[in-house]
Amino acid sequence: MVGRLTIKIVSGAAALVAALLTFLQLLPARASPSHLTAREARLLSTMNRVRVDHGLAPLTVDRRLVRSARGHSIDMVRTKQFAHGAFGSRAERHGITTGVLGETLGWAAPINGATQRIVQMWLRSPEHRSILLGRSYRTVGIGVSIGAFKGWSRAVVVTADYHAPANEPER
């Protein structure tokens, strides 16, 4: 399942409180919210290699999107649900209030080589491919969680949230 949306500007104290609460909920995570884990970094490297091979600029990491994506992957493993949900609202809670978003999800087991297989699955899916290779996307947040999922005792569950600036038209 793939989605895209344009985010409206959100202001006010409620948005600030929601962002702060979300941040505080993610503090116990193993990796720093602003740094990628080793597995997340390998996934980004694979994604960027594919983008460069297609003549596109590599994506840079946006720590706000990392927090959003990581929290979503953790939640999918916890709830055993594989769905995008309201990813625009998640991004807004983490401070992304303008621009265009895209999201790709994936999961694979066994865990060895799973992130490579997920990128290959994205490339074979026209909808996922169009997001991974979207020319307007500049930043990304990646979240990887490992746990019992869909009948596997250890599976890799991935969320990648992409962002394009509001002032750049999508191509």
Side-chain angles (χ1 to χ4, degrees):
M1 193 177 262
V2 176
R4 293 182 198 213
L5 66 111
T6 300
I7 299 174
K8 64 185 182 315
I9 295 176
V10 176
S11 62
L16 180 60
V17 169
L20 181 59
L21 288 174
T22 302
F23 174 75
L24 291 174
Q25 288 175 342
L26 293 177
L27 283 179
R30 280 188 216 158
S32 162
S34 61
H35 298 332
L36 297 179
T37 66
R39 194 174 300 270
E40 291 164 348
R42 283 192 303 271
L43 176 60
L44 176 62
S45 177
T46 301
M47 292 166 62
N48 278 337
R49 192 170 338 111
V50 167
R51 286 179 61 87
V52 168
D53 288 349
H54 286 86
L56 301 170
L59 298 164
T60 60
V61 174
D62 183 316
R63 69 182 188 281
R64 300 167 301 174
L65 290 172
V66 170
R67 288 190 299 262
S68 178
R70 189 178 289 149
H72 187 59
S73 290
I74 290 167
D75 192 54
M76 285 192 292
V77 170
R78 183 183 58 77
T79 63
K80 310 295 186 238
Q81 300 295 314
F82 187 72
H84 290 280
F87 71 89
S89 295
R90 281 196 321 270
E92 286 181 57
R93 284 192 306 270
H94 287 90
I96 304 293
T97 59
T98 62
V100 177
L101 285 177
E103 178 172 83
T104 54
L105 303 178
W107 75 273
I111 63 170
N112 290 337
T115 54
Q116 293 274 0
R117 292 192 311 275
I118 289 169
V119 171
Q120 290 306 310
M121 287 186 278
W122 288 343
L123 288 169
R124 287 191 299 271
S125 161
E127 292 177 69
H128 292 82
R129 182 184 182 92
S130 71
I131 294 172
L132 175 60
L133 300 179
R135 291 189 183 283
S136 61
Y137 294 121
R138 297 289 180 255
T139 59
V140 69
I142 297 170
V144 174
S145 184
I146 297 175
F149 197 72
K150 302 292 183 184
W152 291 84
S153 61
R154 286 177 46 89
V156 172
V157 179
V158 171
T159 302
D161 288 336
Y162 307 75
H163 181 250
N167 59 352
E168 188 165 326
E170 189 173 357
R171 299 178 220 158

